[in-house]
Amino acid sequence: PLLGLNHQPPGSIFNIANRVIKALPDATVEGMPIPAIPPPLGVDQQSAEQQHESILEMLLKILQLSQVRTFRARCDRCCPICGIQCTHPDGFNHVGLHRSYHQPQGLRGVFRIGTDELCAESCISSAKVGDNIRINYGKTDEKKISYRALNTHFVEWENPPYEGETVPDALQVREMIFAKKQKLLLKMFPEKKECSSIPQEYFHDEEN
């Protein structure tokens, strides 16, 4: 099937957060006031300053630990198709292309052309069957791209792994959200329709 996406790529997870903040009434992203933090009750100013120094030392140790891969912050970039965050093992400011496990694309509003139904497949499953997607669908700069060659258009990202041992396990929580929260997704993408072909395996047991 041919899929469509008429949203701009999310880019960074911080870009998404900024858009949420901008949508809130009376909230600003830049110049947000940071109130002074007074010492706790019963603690004099000098003791509070000593506590601040110890907190600073702890933060410096955390920064030192960030040199160890398992302690690094995650990369903030998001897949331009399904919108999930990069999971490169080297984390923030890593070297090389972005990569991810990917998620059901309908969570970001990707839809089936002809029915406008939200898409249940992930970028990986779409690559497995050789699907194509039309980026900026319905616009003058619309472009058709194969999922197996997304890197030709989004050059900072690896192509979704669709064969061999490199294919990661599916993200069950994301599948369950897509399967059980269709009404909520339609509020986010009111011009789209519910998916009528949700895989049965998406209905995971919430307790597990």
Side-chain angles (χ1 to χ4, degrees):
L2 188 60
L3 307 176
L5 175 65
N6 46 23
H7 303 293
Q8 290 297 315
S12 163
I13 194 72
F14 298 117
N15 293 342
I16 298 174
N18 285 344
R19 288 201 295 271
V20 172
I21 292 174
K22 289 179 180 178
L24 297 175
D26 303 322
T28 59
V29 179
E30 297 181 0
M32 189 173 289
I34 302 176
I37 302 176
L41 292 176
V43 178
D44 58 45
Q45 187 67 38
Q46 184 177 0
S47 298
E49 290 176 358
Q50 292 174 348
Q51 291 178 12
H52 292 167
E53 287 294 328
S54 64
I55 291 173
L56 179 59
E57 290 179 6
M58 181 179 65
L59 291 175
L60 289 174
K61 290 180 180 179
I62 292 174
L63 287 174
Q64 291 172 349
L65 283 173
S66 69
Q67 303 305 311
V68 181
R69 175 183 290 184
T70 53
F71 283 92
R72 291 176 184 168
R74 285 181 60 181
C75 176
D76 66 318
R77 308 305 292 179
C78 298
C79 172
I81 304 298
C82 70
I84 200 166
Q85 197 170 347
C86 172
T87 54
H88 195 288
D90 287 341
F92 191 72
N93 282 338
H94 64 79
V95 176
L97 299 177
H98 301 296
R99 65 181 72 159
S100 185
Y101 301 117
H102 299 284
Q103 66 180 353
Q105 299 165 74
L107 290 174
R108 191 170 168 253
V110 176
F111 59 95
R112 294 184 177 276
I113 294 175
T115 66
D116 286 341
E117 291 186 8
L118 293 173
C119 171
E121 290 79 15
S122 70
C123 297
I124 292 174
S125 54
S126 288
K128 282 183 179 180
V129 297
D131 277 347
N132 297 299
I133 186 169
R134 290 191 180 274
I135 305 295
N136 298 325
Y137 179 70
K139 301 179 181 179
T140 56
D141 56 347
E142 177 183 319
K143 185 176 183 180
K144 181 180 177 181
I145 307 173
S146 168
Y147 279 88
R148 296 183 179 183
L150 289 181
N151 176 257
T152 60
H153 187 76
F154 302 106
V155 297
E156 295 182 352
W157 279 82
E158 291 183 355
N159 290 322
Y162 62 90
E163 59 184 359
E165 297 179 355
T166 59
V167 179
D169 295 332
L171 297 174
Q172 294 186 2
V173 171
R174 305 301 179 101
E175 291 178 343
M176 184 176 64
I177 292 172
F178 180 81
K180 298 185 178 183
K181 300 297 181 181
Q182 287 284 301
K183 300 295 185 184
L184 177 60
L185 289 173
L186 291 185
K187 291 182 180 180
M188 297 170 61
F189 310 106
E191 71 281 7
K192 303 300 182 286
K193 297 178 181 178
E194 284 190 40
C195 179
S196 62
S197 56
I198 301 175
Q200 188 60 38
E201 59 266 26
Y202 279 20
F203 292 88
H204 300 285
D205 185 353
E206 294 185 21
E207 294 184 359
N208 295 326

